[in-house]
Amino acid sequence: MITGLNAGLEKRLEADTGQKVRSCYQCKKCSAGCPVAFAMDLLPHEVMRMVVYGQEARLLGSSTIWLCASCETCSTRCPNEIDIAGVMDGLRRMAVDEGVIPAEPEIAAFHKSFLAGIKLAGKTNEPVLIGAYKALSRRVFDDLGLGAVMLAKRKIKLLPRTVKDRRAVRRIFRGSKGGARM
Amino acid sequence: MSGHSYSYFPGCSQSGTAEEFGLSTEAVCRALGIELAELPDWNCCGASSAHMTNDLLSVALPGRDLAIANLLSKDLLVVCAACYSRLKVAQARINCDEALAGKIEDIVGADPRFNGEVRHLLDMLVNDIGFAYIKKWMKLELSGLKAVPYYGCLLVRPPEFCFCDSVENPTDLDRLLEAIGVEVRPWSFKTDCCGGSLSLSRTDVVERLVNRLFVRAEEAGASCIVTACPMCAANLEMRQKPGRLSFKIEHRVPVLYFTELLGLALGVAGVEKCLARHIISPMPLMKELELLTTERA
Ligand code: SF4
Ligand code: SF4
């Protein structure tokens, strides 16, 4: 039996993203052109329908909301002008806000590391990002050879770049509750 | 040419993994007499990680940059396709939603309603500077070089912010490359996604996307891929080796920034050093085609 239904899901998502997913007529154009569809557990057109059916638990616990690469190919092509990528964003943010355990922990860890780096320095520094990501995702040994090549080619700078006005950056994170959750 | 003066948002990648993009951009602009005034104390736009997880943060981070740009009252030139997209989206949302604008103003402590235009480098070169002017300063035709132009996602999508002549089949980069003598090979993957945001976290997915792009580029008869996005470039360069599960062939196709080729054509000093630093070296190809000044001298 499908549990975790929420009849208010569609309305809530519409309030957040402005998207009217009920106008989807299931042509599947979105799924046909999606570059990562092969790796998804729910295809984009299925996500649209499931929002209408209020299948909140399945949606927020899906891999799809994390795998979506925000390439917007679907949104550009939808004959009903649904911003499918925007719906994916809305669902992902809902999952983050509600503390749902992400089905793709590495992807969630990547975003968390990326934002932690900005919070710290105001700018993105690859060594900080990679270090934080490896610690959070526990994938310490991935890409070690590549890291060495990048260091040799001076692709990775060891001295971090920072914003001078660090207080302004902290204020932005505090004001938008960034990096607190996830 | 006088009067081309912009405030300038270099973006994080351009002093990290994509330093060659930043250096060649600045060198090309100098050579063409385009004045760039770097935005003082700019911060990271938040890229996909902010926009994918926290909506307010994804507007507030570029919001601070827009507030700084306001003080310079010039159009804002952006190099990276991702920064361009984030700044453009944030500007549109701030400028048409007073409630949001007020919130962002509170958070960043300055007025984020930027009235100038956020412009991408490629747009500026193609539409403001123009091919006739670029040709006038050209020192070297890049003849013999066969390339496929790769736009990726963020130069063309969302369509509201696409400056190219088409969303599905843009030709801006094609025409620029042709103007400097490059043979542009036709292919249908110009605007396909490379999966950049998943590059570190779901390498298996990304390898499959990247491998397909290389197979298609090779089939099209290209000896290099030319891009205007540092995320695409890093992702394509890093993921050409077969991974654990994904594919068998190892590709060794150079991935170049369009500004590097433009710099080469304009005879700009320092561009050859940029070329030499790529993970997949284009130097053998460039030597073979006698496109390096040091070789010709
Ligand atoms: S392209 Fe639009 S209408 Fe067609 S299935 Fe996808 S969301 Fe529905
Ligand atoms: S935005 Fe997401 S769902 Fe849409 S085509 Fe791209 S990856 Fe697929």
Side-chain angles (χ1 to χ4, degrees), chain A residues 6-24:
Chain A
N6 173 0
L9 180 65
E10 186 196 344
K11 284 235 165 63
R12 201 175 136 208
L13 201 65
E14 183 177 340
D16 180 34
T17 65
Q19 298 308 310
K20 294 182 174 55
V21 288
R22 63 189 167 280
S23 57
C24 164

Side-chain angles (χ1 to χ4, degrees), chain B residues 10 34 78 86 119 121 166 188 199 208 237-238 296:
Chain B
I34 300 158
V78 186
R86 294 327 312 160
R119 303 285 305 274
L121 175 71
S166 159
S188 323
S199 192
R208 199 161 140 176
E237 277 208 290
M238 288 189 322
R296 289 196 319 272

Side-chain angles (χ1 to χ4, degrees), chain A residues 99-171:
Chain A
V100 177
I101 295 169
E104 294 286 334
E106 286 91 358
I107 301 176
F110 172 81
H111 294 314
K112 198 172 175 178
S113 318
F114 197 95
L115 294 179
I118 306 177
K119 195 174 175 182
L120 193 73
K123 294 187 183 180
T124 293
N125 293 280
E126 290 90 358
V128 176
L129 165 62
I130 293 167
Y133 170 68
K134 281 181 187 260
L136 272 177
S137 64
R138 302 200 182 83
R139 278 173 46 174
V140 181
F141 297 108
D142 285 15
D143 285 333
L144 277 186
L146 193 59
V149 173
M150 290 178 73
L151 261 181
K153 293 256 180 182
R154 287 181 296 145
K155 288 265 173 198
I156 292 188
K157 295 274 178 293
L158 291 177
L159 218 58
R161 308 168 288 260
T162 58
V163 164
K164 285 192 215 88
D165 191 354
R166 303 273 193 96
R167 278 185 47 211
V169 176
R170 280 198 297 270
R171 244 178 86 169

